[in-house]
Amino acid sequence: MTTTSTVPRARRRRLAVGVVLAALAALVAVLLPRTGWTLATWTAAERSGAGFEAGIFQSQSQAAGSTEWTTHPVGSPVTLSLDGLTGLAPGGDSTAPTAGEPRLVWLNLRTGPASTWSGQVRLTGSTAEGALAPALEYRVVSRAASTDRCTAADLGTGTPVAGSDAAWQPAGTVPADPVALPVAADAGDAAGLCLAVRVAADAAGATAGAGYQGAGADLGWTFTLSQDPATA
Amino acid sequence: MTATAQHVPTAPENPDRSRRRRIALAVGSGGLVLGIGAVVTMAAWTSTERSQADFEAGRFSIQGSADGSTFSENPGSPGLEISFDALAAKLSPGATTYAPYAVQLTAGSDYAADVTLTSSTGTGTAADALTYTIVQTPTFGCTADTTGTTLVSDQSASGTPGAEMFSLDAAGDTVYLCLQVTAGDDLAQGSTGNIEWNLTGASTAPLS
């Protein structure tokens, strides 16, 4: 007895096509890695590098009350006068009051040792606190850095930094356009300053100055050292 | 006791068996003859024809130069020392230091190359505050005034930009680069760092 296939001819044809496709897929799978090899390329690495180092930039100051060169950040100021500035008084008399005699102190500013860059010092802030503060005015002039006492002559010859002989700067204020004082890198040439403080004429006299007798004030100045543009 | 020879009669041969034996011998003889004949007919003259050729792997390499004239291959770390200007030793926030760099296809290379900036590695505390830009220039040299085609811009010191930068299409073909490293605002005073650039050249078309 012979058996006859019950699978229709079309189905057998599809099966045959499927088998062929499967065989082709297997062939591709086998050949694909070889094809990949032909796509491989050589590579060559080339490395390069360099070291970099940040510079150092720091300010230092000294004054009569603290002659050692040290960094004095905000909150830790240099003391301008060892004995304090006492005995401030107006000038003139009660009927013709004038500004009082100024008290003079010196201050030097520079970059710290090993500072990489030179820079510019600017007066950027002034504070005045206490009952006497509204009666005070000041001047700042630059001179060659020195630990010598500032004199009236220095006020006359120094380059104005704040205020002028004709118009002193009210305590607690600063010039709108601060003067730049150059300082060298690496604790080089420093900027020398003389500060003068006095009782203003308009705070003197029997009426205007009555409330200031025996009063005191705490004055502070902030100088900012800015790095010169970095160049090779 | 005397031993005497005794004839033991053998059984007469079966006629059929004898006949089969003769037939077998005849067939065996014929097969032996045929076997010998077959061996003889399989023997033949042979002639060998050989061919050969020499094969040699091609060559492919890229090399760098810090001065534009002396080139060397630097596949490993730390690589070729690049000469940045003096600012590199005293960086400050916002400052940019410059260095020229040249890359060429080694003279003996048999293939052109596509060169990619595979990665860069920054080390040291200053590296985190450093970024770099790479500009392709027409000639060797790199200063603040140098202009060219920017290939990589403001890339952090450590990264894997994977940027395809340029092609080298002939042996000795040289590309000039200007490396620019800029310090950020958070650069700490006195900090130090190092940047290493890793270029990868991939062979492309064979050179004729």
Side-chain angles (χ1 to χ4, degrees), chain B residues 47-84:
Chain B
S47 175
T48 302
E49 181 65 22
R50 292 176 182 267
S51 60
Q52 67 88 31
D54 293 329
F55 295 90
E56 185 176 348
R59 292 176 176 80
F60 176 74
S61 182
I62 59 175
Q63 52 189 188
S65 172
D67 63 7
S69 58
T70 303
F71 286 82
S72 60
E73 295 180 23
N74 304 276
S77 182
L80 179 68
E81 180 70 22
I82 300 298
S83 300
F84 277 81

Side-chain angles (χ1 to χ4, degrees), chain A residues 40-58 116-117 227-228 230-232, chain B residues 58 64 74-75 80 82 86-92 188-197 199 201 203:
Chain A
T41 58
W42 277 323
T43 60
E46 180 63 22
R47 291 176 183 264
S48 58
F52 302 91
E53 187 173 348
I56 294 173
F57 190 69
Q58 198 171 39
T116 312
W117 305 102
Q227 174 199 318
D228 285 335
T231 58
Chain B
N74 304 276
L80 179 68
I82 300 298
L87 197 56
K90 51 182 180 180
L91 286 170
S92 59
Q189 290 195 31
S191 60
T192 59
N194 185 281
I195 301 178
E196 183 176 308
W197 291 274
L199 301 181
S203 62

Side-chain angles (χ1 to χ4, degrees), chain B residues 81-128:
Chain B
E81 180 70 22
I82 300 298
S83 300
F84 277 81
D85 59 37
L87 197 56
K90 51 182 180 180
L91 286 170
S92 59
T96 300
T97 181
Y98 301 85
Y101 180 43
V103 179
Q104 74 173 15
L105 197 58
T106 305
S109 287
D110 299 312
Y111 293 85
D114 284 341
V115 179
T116 301
L117 177 61
T118 312
S119 64
S120 61
T121 304
T123 55
T125 54
D128 291 340

